[in-house]
Amino acid sequence: MTTACEFPTVQVTTAPRLVTGQFGRLLVMVFGSGLSMYLLTSVVPLYLAANGSGGIGAGLSTGAMMLAAVGTELLVPRMLARWGYQVVLGLGLILLGAPSLLLLVTASLPVVLTICIVRGAGLAIMVVGAVALVADVTPDRRRGEAFGIYGLAVGVPAVIGLPLGVYLTNLVGFGALFVLAAASSLLVLGMLAGMPKATSEEEQHVKVLGGLRGSGLMMPTLVFAAVTVAAGISVTFLPLAVAEDKHSLVATALLMQAITAPAARWLAGRYADRIGPAKLLAPALILAAAGAGSLVLIGSTTAIVVGSTLFGLGFGAAQNLTLTMMYDRVPKSRYGQVSALWNLAYDGGWGVGAIVFGAVVAGTGYSVAFGLTAAIVALAIVPAVMASVTARS
């Protein structure tokens, strides 16, 4: 007989570490490349307008960069599989940063558009490669939170760059901003030393646009594209839609949008890991549509600032939720395809929206054109609600 009492062993599992050395270096690299992009996002349209190219030139500059990104994004998964992360991301940083210096010597529309195209290719390499690398170096069950932290690293440069670029044009001039944009991308090349040289798992040889039917990727891709249409329009045309003496108002509005987007992206990621991203997508789109619609009242200071804030919340949440949904629906061997698709939606919506808006606004005025933009976002709410109902059943 034994009098000893035996107690069951309780195993305590700890969450896997999220921010490793590799992930930390990636976040620094993402910050530098993001700052390079956002410093000039609203400044290049202003630079062209100041040199006589008008609203059409502004729309073309954003459109050229984003559509070049779209074309390049189709190639990035294959580039990563062949050359690995270090080589491909290094090329992206150089293409994004170095051409900014050429803006110091010319404001010619064809040359500026060429520079935007080259920078767009660099942007495509960075965003597709970085998103795929986040999924590669972080734990699967903390993926939503990882994308949230990545969203902060992308969003902080927007907080700094979007409003600061517009604000500083009258203080230091365009030239100083062009140099700063180049330096912010080129100086983080040193972070590549800590990056993995190759992808951790062999990618399936699937075309970026192949295998969409029945994969569950089509809906979040198209929904996100609708939101990015409004995003590209707001940062390109808001500085042009208000009087020049109100650029401080535009800087404030862009600052609010830039602050709320990464915060919402991070929060959406945390809650998506717990309850699922599909249940949160429709509320995010409602916020984005409301914010975009408020710009119909383009003469109202309150409407511009509040609208930019609401849109930032919805846009940031939609970024995380759609991306998490897409990664949850494919095996790891298709991560490159998901990254490329999501970024195609981002840059394609951003670029096409800017080009079309530049043509439409000439005939309708800003209020009507902003209203049409909000309607596009509102249409995306329908499939998001359907996805939410399916997730609950």
Side-chain angles (χ1 to χ4, degrees):
M1 171 182 275
T2 177
T3 59
C5 295
E6 295 183 0
F7 296 95
T9 301
V10 178
Q11 292 184 343
V12 179
T13 59
T14 59
R17 184 182 177 189
L18 184 57
V19 182
T20 61
Q22 284 185 336
F23 192 26
R25 285 187 285 272
L26 172 62
L27 294 177
V28 173
M29 189 165 56
V30 166
F31 176 87
S33 61
L35 186 61
S36 178
M37 173 192 170
Y38 284 113
L39 275 171
L40 301 187
T41 297
S42 295
V43 167
V44 170
L46 284 174
Y47 181 58
L48 287 171
N51 287 278
S53 294
I56 293 178
L60 287 175
S61 67
T62 299
M65 183 172 183
M66 294 308 177
L67 294 183
V70 167
T72 306
E73 282 160 358
L74 295 169
L75 307 175
V76 176
R78 194 174 295 271
M79 293 168 64
L80 289 172
R82 182 169 184 178
W83 295 310
Y85 286 116
Q86 286 190 355
V87 172
V88 175
L89 291 177
L91 177 63
L93 288 171
I94 292 170
L95 293 179
L96 182 61
S100 304
L101 298 174
L102 296 177
L103 293 170
L104 292 167
V105 297
T106 182
S108 167
L109 181 59
V111 177
V112 173
L113 292 181
T114 301
I115 292 169
C116 291
I117 288 170
V118 176
R119 296 189 76 230
L123 173 66
I125 292 171
M126 289 307 303
V127 293
V128 175
V131 170
L133 189 53
V134 171
D136 228 0
V137 302
T138 56
D140 289 350
R141 60 193 177 100
R142 300 190 69 183
R143 183 179 296 139
E145 188 176 359
F147 285 136
I149 294 175
Y150 168 79
L152 289 174
V154 174
V156 171
V159 172
I160 299 170
L162 280 175
L164 188 64
V166 174
Y167 179 72
L168 288 180
T169 53
N170 295 325
L171 294 181
V172 299
F174 291 109
L177 288 168
F178 299 152
V179 172
L180 183 58
S184 63
S185 182
L186 299 176
L187 288 177
V188 296
L189 282 166
M191 294 295 105
L192 290 169
M195 293 296 105
K197 294 182 179 180
T199 55
S200 64
E201 186 168 326
E202 186 178 354
E203 290 278 336
Q204 289 183 355
H205 292 291
V206 60
K207 294 181 179 179
V208 170
L209 300 179
L212 286 179
R213 181 172 297 179
S215 67
L217 299 179
M218 182 75 77
M219 185 280 290
T221 299
L222 295 179
V223 165
F224 186 52
V227 185
T228 62
V229 165
I233 287 170
S234 65
V235 299
T236 301
F237 289 95
L238 191 57
L240 303 178
V242 301
E244 187 174 347
D245 60 352
K246 292 185 178 180
H247 277 175
S248 59
L249 168 63
V250 175
T252 300
L254 293 176
L255 176 63
M256 294 307 300
Q257 179 173 319
I259 289 174
T260 53
R265 189 170 180 176
W266 174 68
L267 286 172
R270 286 185 62 87
Y271 284 103
D273 284 342
R274 301 173 188 176
I275 66 176
K279 297 177 183 179
L280 300 173
L281 185 56
L285 295 176
I286 291 171
L287 286 173
S294 71
L295 295 181
V296 170
L297 305 174
I298 193 63
S300 167
T301 298
T302 301
I304 291 174
V305 175
V306 173
S308 296
T309 301
L310 291 176
F311 182 78
L313 289 169
F315 179 50
Q319 288 180 57
N320 192 305
L321 298 170
T322 53
L323 186 59
T324 302
M325 287 175 68
M326 293 170 73
Y327 273 114
D328 286 347
R329 296 178 178 187
V330 299
K332 195 169 187 178
S333 57
R334 293 180 67 179
Y335 279 2
Q337 181 194 22
V338 166
S339 179
L341 274 176
W342 187 83
N343 283 290
L344 279 170
Y346 195 125
D347 299 332
W350 194 297
V352 171
I355 291 174
V356 173
F357 190 94
V360 170
V361 74
T364 65
Y366 282 105
S367 291
V368 173
F370 281 129
L372 293 173
T373 302
I376 293 173
V377 181
L379 287 174
I381 297 172
V382 177
V385 170
M386 295 173 62
S388 177
V389 172
T390 301
R392 287 187 172 93
S393 61

